[in-house]
Amino acid sequence: MQKRLTLLNLVVTVMLLAGLVLAGCKPSPTPTPTEAPTEVLTEEPTEEPTEEPTEEPTEEPTEEPTEEPTEEPVATPILDAAAAYFSEGMKLTTAEAVYENLNDGDASNDPLILDIRKPEDYEQGHLPGAVHIGAANIFAPETLAALPTDQQIVVYCYTGQTAGQVTAALNLLGFDAYSLKFGMPSWAIVSGPRWSDDMSMAYPLDTEPYEATEVYALPDPLGATVEEAAAAYFGEGMKLITAEAVYENLNDGDDTNDPFILSICKPEDYEQGHLPGAVNIGAGALFSEENLSKLPADRQIVVYCYTGQTAGQVTGALNLLGFDAYSLKFGVASWAIREGSPRWNDDMSMGYPVDTEAHELP
């Protein structure tokens, strides 16, 4: 019995060993096909073809063609009016022409005559039919409204210089105005100042030519319209300066206060001799933006011609445009007498009869 049990134990042991051996030889369990993590096909985040941010073609900011600031030309009613008037030539008339007009038997073409002298000189004698109005009052709205737009206007003063300033402004306003050359004495010598050669200071003239090389910003006009600017300028009184005052300024040892001197004489007369340092620009060419920008807005400008007649007109317009301009009284002759330069002498007076009756605007 004992033997049988031992044999049975041996058999069981052998069977167990055999089972173990067989189990080790079995291929290791191929894990249930969980298919190697082929990582759910999330196709590596190639981030939906948002086609690499080529940032919507916002066409690189080529900043709207604002065409380089070529600085728009300065267009103002005053500059436009001045350019139009002076490019056509300034308007002056002679005593002889006015006399012939008044006596041609046709009253329909007679001019309106404005006397801008002092009231007491008007009372002593004036051109026939002349109306007395001071320069400042001419540019009052009610006076401008009373002036004819379809009739020639003749303006006169003592010598033609201040009448020139008024005449220029009237033309810029669209009136057909003329300055009486040499003023009242050209009609008849009655009263008031006039030129004589012994008034010349005989200062030395310069023969070296000068060019305006600086470029300045244009000043602001005295008003938005010609009417506003004229009322502002003439309301303060017209600007004239003497040769003596200019000479003293140029020789006071202080260059910083020297004026800019502008000659509007003919080039050939400028070459013969001019005020020291003067630049020559003709009145017809002056009123362009290019030429006006050669004039300093922060300095006094002295304008001169032969006798002050045309320099007066230029000075009036420059002041309306905002420049600090002065007309040289009696022109270059007041500085020095140049051979052949025109100037007044009493033999030029026509000696026509004068009127002493007061007249009003129609």
Side-chain angles (χ1 to χ4, degrees):
M1 181 77 181
Q2 183 75 33
K3 277 184 184 178
R4 194 177 291 174
L5 281 170
T6 302
L7 186 61
L8 185 60
N9 283 339
L10 185 61
V11 169
V12 170
T13 301
V14 169
M15 284 178 70
L16 281 170
L17 286 169
L20 284 169
V21 169
L22 286 171
C25 293
K26 264 186 190 176
S28 53
T30 56
T32 313
T34 51
E35 292 154 333
T38 51
E39 296 152 335
V40 171
L41 248 123
T42 52
E43 290 163 315
E44 181 137 305
T46 51
E47 291 157 334
E48 254 326 72
T50 49
E51 292 161 319
E52 192 150 289
T54 50
E55 290 159 339
E56 269 296 275
T58 48
E59 291 159 327
E60 198 148 288
T62 50
E63 287 160 341
E64 283 274 293
T66 49
E67 289 162 345
E68 278 250 315
T70 50
E71 282 170 19
E72 284 282 308
V74 178
T76 72
I78 305 171
L79 179 52
D80 291 345
Y85 171 60
F86 285 95
S87 64
E88 293 295 316
M90 291 169 280
K91 293 180 177 178
L92 294 99
T93 190
T94 63
E96 191 173 10
V98 175
Y99 182 85
E100 286 176 2
N101 190 334
L102 293 176
N103 292 280
D104 66 357
D106 180 6
S108 68
N109 68 3
D110 287 357
L112 170 68
I113 304 175
L114 300 180
D115 182 324
I116 64 168
R117 297 175 302 154
K118 293 177 182 174
E120 55 270 31
D121 292 317
Y122 173 78
E123 287 169 11
Q124 283 190 43
H126 48 262
L127 269 66
V131 175
H132 179 265
I133 308 178
N137 294 327
I138 287 176
F139 297 96
E142 60 276 12
T143 308
L144 289 176
L147 297 181
T149 54
D150 58 353
Q151 184 182 0
Q152 189 184 89
I153 298 172
V154 172
V155 186
Y156 74 91
C157 60
Y158 297 100
T159 62
Q161 298 173 88
T162 53
Q165 297 199 33
V166 170
T167 296
L170 286 174
N171 275 286
L172 266 57
L173 283 164
F175 294 100
D176 184 24
Y178 290 75
S179 178
L180 182 64
K181 199 171 179 183
F182 297 116
M184 184 69 204
S186 69
W187 186 272
I189 294 172
V190 182
S191 63
R194 60 188 186 278
W195 171 259
S196 67
D197 283 355
D198 59 9
M199 295 164 66
S200 179
M201 300 304 295
Y203 293 136
L205 290 166
D206 189 352
T207 53
E208 186 181 336
Y210 297 90
E211 294 289 331
T213 54
E214 299 287 329
V215 176
Y216 306 91
L218 296 183
D220 292 327
L222 292 187
T225 63
V226 179
E227 291 92 330
E228 285 179 17
Y233 172 59
F234 289 97
E236 293 296 315
M238 292 169 279
K239 293 179 178 178
L240 294 99
I241 194 167
T242 64
E244 191 174 8
V246 177
Y247 182 85
E248 286 176 3
N249 189 335
L250 293 177
N251 293 280
D252 65 359
D254 180 6
D255 292 348
T256 64
N257 68 2
D258 286 358
F260 180 96
I261 303 178
L262 176 64
S263 164
I264 60 167
C265 297
K266 293 176 181 174
E268 55 269 30
D269 294 321
Y270 171 80
E271 287 169 12
Q272 273 186 45
H274 49 262
L275 269 65
V279 170
N280 185 225
I281 305 176
L286 179 62
F287 291 91
S288 66
E289 188 185 344
E290 179 188 356
N291 280 330
L292 287 175
S293 65
K294 296 174 182 176
L295 309 183
D298 59 351
R299 276 167 65 193
Q300 185 185 82
I301 297 169
V302 173
V303 187
Y304 77 89
C305 60
Y306 300 96
T307 61
Q309 313 289 309
T310 53
Q313 298 210 26
V314 168
T315 297
L318 286 176
N319 275 286
L320 266 57
L321 285 164
F323 291 97
D324 183 25
Y326 289 73
S327 178
L328 182 65
K329 206 169 176 184
F330 295 113
V332 70
S334 69
W335 187 274
I337 293 174
R338 288 187 311 206
E339 208 46 54
S341 279
R343 58 191 184 278
W344 170 260
N345 71 71
D346 285 353
D347 293 340
M348 296 163 68
S349 178
M350 300 304 295
Y352 294 136
V354 297
D355 185 358
T356 53
E357 186 183 336
H359 301 275
E360 299 290 330
L361 281 173

